[in-house]
Amino acid sequence: MELIFSKYQGTGNDFIMLDNMNGQFNGLSISQIQFLCDRKRGIGADGLIKLSKEKGVDFLVEYYNSDGSQSFCGNGARCSVAFAKSLGIIDAKAKFNAIDGVHEATIENGIVRLEMLPVDSIQKVNSDYWLHTGSPHYVRIIGENDSIDILDFGKSIRYSDTYKKDGVNVNIIKEINSDTIHVQTYERGVEDETLSCGTGVTACALVWMDLNAGTDKVNIKTKGGELTVEAVKSGEGFSSIWLSGPAKHVFDGRVDG
């Protein structure tokens, strides 16, 4: 099968984008997705996204990690909005469905502002935290002079008895100042550190807001770039959660899938 694709990246999180509005990629197999995401033998990406038709919304986002597993991806969703705009599906606003539910977004000057679904609670796990921001995330905060190897730490949590069955993404927060944090993420499904993770920075920002009462906006620095999360405290969790940052077209191409 010959695939015409676009490559997008959101703060270093990179994705293969497929226009599936006519259903031509409905039969794409897990092995094909794994091949296309392979950085040695295929195109190379953290994940693959199909934009498909769905009633009641502008489009459906079908996201696959590089191992073929499905989840919600914040940066992937933001790139999907930019891709949809390039295809003429939307203009400045979008409403789309994803594996975790319906989202809204806006795009202006290459910046995509994505509404995340509400988070009911943040669970304490010893001195760390767990929460679900479309995907499950484990969060540890370390001191500004401390250092943890994200690969070793990520694998130790992700493959622990508690999480190895369903998997979990693992994050490290380091404070830069009161409203800015640095985040590293080990992503399940990629099984490696990624340069950025949208649901991960959202999870970390919410933990930071929860610990710093009155904070409703956090700037996040990752290896791939900068993102912003805004939210409103709601009971034990948060609502009106918005993830903002750049989503960039990299190139278009054709490949035998």
Side-chain angles (χ1 to χ4, degrees), residues 21-168:
M21 296 301 280
N22 293 321
Q24 61 267 48
F25 300 121
N26 284 345
L28 199 66
S29 68
I30 297 302
S31 61
Q32 286 175 307
I33 291 168
Q34 292 171 339
F35 161 72
L36 292 169
C37 292
D38 191 304
R39 297 191 184 277
K40 301 291 186 181
R41 299 176 178 84
I43 300 165
D46 291 327
L48 179 144
I49 297 170
K50 295 191 293 183
L51 255 58
S52 305
K53 283 185 179 178
E54 183 157 292
K55 290 182 179 180
V57 292
D58 295 313
F59 53 89
L60 169 68
V61 172
E62 296 179 87
Y63 175 75
Y64 298 85
N65 293 302
S66 59
D67 68 355
S69 61
Q70 286 190 269
S71 64
F72 178 72
C73 176
N75 284 333
R78 293 191 310 98
C79 286
S80 296
V81 173
F83 184 47
K85 181 176 174 63
S86 76
L87 296 174
I89 299 170
I90 62 161
D91 185 15
K93 295 182 179 180
K95 182 179 181 181
F96 65 89
N97 199 8
I99 195 169
D100 66 333
V102 176
H103 296 258
E104 294 188 3
T106 61
I107 179 169
E108 184 177 2
N109 299 323
I111 301 298
V112 177
R113 189 167 181 261
L114 170 69
E115 185 179 30
M116 308 289 279
L117 298 188
V119 171
D120 293 333
S121 64
I122 298 173
Q123 298 177 23
K124 197 78 186 296
V125 184
N126 298 318
S127 59
D128 299 327
Y129 305 88
W130 183 98
L131 64 162
H132 203 287
T133 53
S135 293
H137 282 274
Y138 187 98
V139 177
R140 174 169 291 183
I141 301 173
I142 63 173
E144 60 180 334
N145 297 318
D146 295 334
S147 178
I148 295 179
D149 186 296
I150 186 63
L151 287 179
D152 289 343
F153 176 59
K155 289 177 181 178
S156 72
I157 301 298
R158 188 261 186 267
Y159 291 107
S160 65
D161 290 341
T162 302
Y163 300 110
K164 65 182 177 183
K165 180 181 178 182
D166 297 320
V168 70

Side-chain angles (χ1 to χ4, degrees), residues 1 13 27 97 175 195 239 242:
M1 176 192 297
N13 224 180
N97 199 8
E175 179 180 6
L195 295 180
S239 60
W242 291 87

Side-chain angles (χ1 to χ4, degrees), residues 4 10 32 42 75 80 115 149 154 170 190 197 202 228 257:
I4 299 173
Q32 286 175 307
N75 284 333
S80 296
E115 185 179 30
D149 186 296
V170 183
V190 179
C197 173
T202 301
T228 300

Side-chain angles (χ1 to χ4, degrees), residues 186-202:
Y186 176 96
E187 285 199 54
R188 65 170 186 172
V190 179
E191 306 309 334
D192 202 349
E193 179 185 13
T194 52
L195 295 180
S196 175
C197 173
T199 55
V201 300
T202 301

